[in-house]
Amino acid sequence: IVTIKAMAARVFLLAAIAGTSAFLAPAPARPPTVARRAACTQAEADRVIGLAKQQIARDATVKQELGTSVLGAGRRLTASRRLQRVTGVLGYGAPGPGQVAVSFTASFRRPGSLFVTTSGEARRQNRGAPVAKVSAKTQAGKLVSVVIAKDGGWGKSINVRV
């Protein structure tokens, strides 16, 4: 039969042993290094957004991908889908030294429905502004990549020539 005093003594002995350094993990051989991340200012992010907007405006394939519509009888009417404005900055940062990466949403002017007037002239209603996610990256102040994800990246993305 074990008495309460004997049980208390065993618990006290176990607690004393557990508190010794025999059960502690050894200290690391060298101090841990502190990883310092490269920082990016809002002005640098705004500059990258400006460069991306200029490149999107220059690239003819972007306009072709975003703005070609088919009229009846095999005729095509190309409507310019230009980047109207940046609707929001999703995030920016510096993935490495000398690099700046920015992700933002932008609205593009969307051509509306096509219709032909009674005189046979093709007209277009100007409706809506679709929003797309744009990702841009620079290295040493020069644009490296610009990608337009028309539907949030779930479908076709457009790589802008840099």
Side-chain angles (χ1 to χ4, degrees), residues 28-119:
R30 59 186 171 137
T33 58
V34 177
R36 298 195 188 271
R37 293 186 160 251
C40 168
T41 63
Q42 186 172 354
E44 290 173 324
D46 289 340
R47 184 174 175 276
V48 173
I49 291 171
L51 289 171
K53 286 170 62 175
Q54 288 174 358
Q55 195 62 34
I56 290 169
R58 280 188 209 133
D59 194 358
T61 58
V62 172
K63 293 177 188 175
Q64 185 179 11
E65 289 261 354
L66 291 175
T68 303
S69 300
V70 177
L71 271 174
R75 295 182 293 167
R76 287 187 167 269
L77 178 64
T78 302
S80 172
R81 278 199 179 183
R82 292 187 313 221
L83 191 145
Q84 283 185 316
R85 68 180 185 277
V86 174
T87 56
V89 177
L90 300 175
Y92 61 88
Q99 296 179 346
V100 178
V102 181
S103 182
F104 60 95
T105 55
S107 65
F108 292 83
R109 181 170 45 187
R110 182 176 105 182
S113 303
L114 295 173
F115 64 95
V116 179
T117 62
T118 54
S119 63

Side-chain angles (χ1 to χ4, degrees), residues 8-24:
R10 286 182 190 159
V11 170
F12 180 74
L13 180 64
L14 287 173
I17 291 172
T20 64
S21 62
F23 292 96
L24 296 179

Side-chain angles (χ1 to χ4, degrees), residues 90-149:
L90 300 175
Y92 61 88
Q99 296 179 346
V100 178
V102 181
S103 182
F104 60 95
T105 55
S107 65
F108 292 83
R109 181 170 45 187
R110 182 176 105 182
S113 303
L114 295 173
F115 64 95
V116 179
T117 62
T118 54
S119 63
E121 179 185 5
R123 292 216 158 193
R124 177 182 298 281
Q125 297 172 340
N126 192 12
R127 291 191 182 167
V131 177
K133 179 185 168 199
V134 181
S135 300
K137 193 176 203 178
T138 60
Q139 175 74 39
K142 297 195 179 202
L143 209 55
V144 175
S145 70
V146 179
V147 178
I148 301 171

